[in-house]
Amino acid sequence: METAMASVKKRVPGKKEKTAVLLITPETGRLPEKMGGLASCISGKSGGLGEVIAALCGGLTERGVECHMATLNLPRRFQRESHIDDEHWQRLRHSVDPEKVHLVTSSVFSDLESPYAGDPIRNAVEFQKEIVNQTIVRVRAMNGGRLIVHSHDWMAGGVIAAYARMRGCPVLHTVHNIHNSHIPLENFHGVDMERLRPYLYLSEDRGNPCLDSQATAIKNASAVSFVGHRFLREIIDGDLRNDLPISPYIREEIRLKDQMGQTATILNAPAPEMYPDRCSLLARNYGPDDDILAAKRDNLVEFQKRTGLNVDPEAILLYWPSRLDPSQKGIHLLEEIA
């Protein structure tokens, strides 16, 4: 045993040890090719969160960070967005090394188009159980025990953040919105909940003991980031609109983190591939030194042609589909603008 341990602890002279970052998320946009053979086929974006994940993976990878990403395996969604059939997808899954892309597979959500479709709580339980029992252990072992967990949204919180903290992994949790879920504790069979109990934020739903997924993530995070300073202040000061309620427990946990200097605000930004000077999907690329208005007109005309609209380079084009969802605050902004 001592010989084996000595072999494990042996380090290669001159080799710099890296700490890996594992992004855990229910959604993602198109990932950089450097993350492995499956990266170009994984895209389950439902909103801004997916673009943030893609940008983070791209930025970290470009800077030489050992970046891994874990998300739900939604084959129907991935096949549709990658324009491949079931046979092609199965061939990829069984022959291509996923490398830094870790897909959580379950019959619970295999036919769903979104991680929030069907029964979101059931999806979250399956996702969190696999991450705790398999993914974190595997990625951490690949990197000599050095791992930082970056969790996103309530679905990637809960027992994931509690387990990571218990195992000594720093956790950065990003709050993208105020959505949350209370998951009955009995659903987590297969997870050692007794050992995790000191790290859990418990709640009650109709008399049943539950796990407050978002509050537990915030409680166990080494730091909590928000997508805007005003968003953070609205939560802390209680200035959110009445029709966008937030749990007092979550607000209190955020206040405590803020008082301890463990909060930060980082504005969302698109991945580099989406900037107009390098986006491969544009008819004409442009940068700050180009005739921007002329380039925009050329791209507008091409868009009109491809979508069957009347061709008019002077027409105004407004495209804001993700913010027409009544559960988002964007519809309120759009009404005010109108």
Side-chain angles (χ1 to χ4, degrees):
M1 176 63 74
E2 291 181 1
T3 303
M5 290 302 294
S7 176
V8 170
K9 293 179 180 178
K10 186 176 181 181
R11 299 290 182 260
V12 178
K15 183 179 179 180
K16 186 176 180 181
E17 297 175 354
K18 291 185 177 181
T19 297
V21 175
L22 172 61
L23 281 75
I24 305 175
T25 172
E27 302 176 35
T28 179
R30 195 72 65 187
L31 300 172
E33 293 182 359
K34 291 182 180 179
M35 291 189 68
L38 280 181
S40 62
C41 301
I42 303 302
S43 180
K45 172 180 155 43
S46 298
L49 171 55
E51 297 296 355
V52 171
I53 296 300
L56 283 170
C57 289
L60 291 171
T61 301
E62 285 184 7
R63 288 162 176 77
V65 176
E66 181 75 10
C67 179
H68 294 252
M69 191 279 302
T71 192
L72 294 79
N73 182 14
L74 303 173
R76 296 290 173 263
R77 178 68 174 268
F78 299 156
Q79 289 172 219
R80 177 172 58 80
E81 295 200 4
S82 299
H83 306 292
I84 58 178
D85 58 24
D86 187 64
E87 182 180 351
H88 187 186
W89 172 253
Q90 292 302 325
R91 190 161 59 247
L92 283 172
R93 288 286 286 142
H94 291 272
S95 61
V96 175
D97 184 355
E99 296 184 52
K100 297 180 175 64
V101 177
H102 309 274
L103 297 180
V104 172
T105 300
S106 172
S107 60
V108 169
F109 41 73
S110 61
D111 290 325
L112 301 181
E113 287 281 323
S114 162
Y116 308 104
D119 184 344
I121 290 181
R122 193 181 178 199
N123 299 343
V125 170
E126 287 289 299
F127 183 50
Q128 293 184 19
K129 285 167 59 175
E130 177 69 14
I131 294 293
V132 165
N133 289 332
Q134 300 292 336
T135 309
I136 290 179
V137 177
R138 183 165 62 249
V139 177
R140 196 178 184 193
M142 291 167 60
N143 294 276
R146 297 174 297 278
L147 181 67
I148 296 172
V149 171
H150 188 182
S151 53
H152 297 259
D153 191 36
W154 68 266
M155 191 173 284
V159 296
I160 293 174
Y163 177 81
R165 182 181 177 187
M166 184 183 74
R167 292 302 182 192
C169 297
V171 177
L172 169 62
H173 182 68
T174 297
V175 178
H176 292 266
N177 51 59
I178 62 172
H179 300 314
N180 188 27
S181 186
H182 298 269
I183 306 174
L185 293 180
E186 62 184 20
N187 291 9
F188 287 105
H189 52 83
V191 176
D192 191 348
M193 298 298 284
E194 201 55 42
R195 295 186 67 184
L196 290 176
R197 188 168 290 274
Y199 305 92
L200 304 179
Y201 202 112
L202 301 180
S203 60
E204 189 176 286
D205 182 24
R206 286 169 290 189
N208 296 319
C210 295
L211 170 70
D212 187 315
S213 196
Q214 188 81 277
T216 297
I218 295 167
K219 172 183 177 179
N220 290 283
S222 310
V224 184
S225 65
F226 299 80
V227 295
H229 180 71
R230 182 170 180 177
F231 177 45
L232 171 59
R233 296 316 314 175
E234 285 176 339
I235 294 175
I236 293 176
D237 300 333
D239 291 338
L240 284 170
R241 287 169 33 227
N242 292 332
D243 57 339
L244 293 175
I246 185 170
S247 162
Y249 311 113
I250 293 177
R251 178 176 287 118
E252 183 60 26
E253 285 297 316
I254 292 174
R255 281 174 176 166
L256 291 173
K257 291 293 183 184
D258 192 60
Q259 290 170 6
M260 293 186 291
Q262 296 177 338
T263 59
T265 55
I266 305 171
L267 294 176
N268 286 347
E273 292 75 18
M274 293 186 66
Y275 283 87
D277 59 339
R278 64 171 75 183
C279 179
S280 61
L281 301 177
L282 291 180
R284 175 180 171 183
N285 293 102
Y286 59 93
D289 297 327
D290 299 315
D291 187 336
I292 296 176
L293 293 180
K296 283 189 172 183
R297 279 193 294 271
D298 289 347
N299 286 304
L300 172 62
V301 168
E302 183 63 25
F303 179 85
Q304 291 168 336
K305 289 178 179 178
R306 295 188 188 184
T307 56
L309 296 173
N310 294 330
V311 176
D312 180 1
E314 302 303 322
I316 296 175
L317 178 66
L318 173 64
Y319 186 60
W320 201 357
S322 66
R323 286 298 183 249
L324 295 180
D325 180 352
S327 66
Q328 300 277 2
K329 60 183 178 181
I331 185 65
H332 174 67
L333 296 175
L334 192 58
E335 288 172 348
E336 287 191 355
I337 292 171

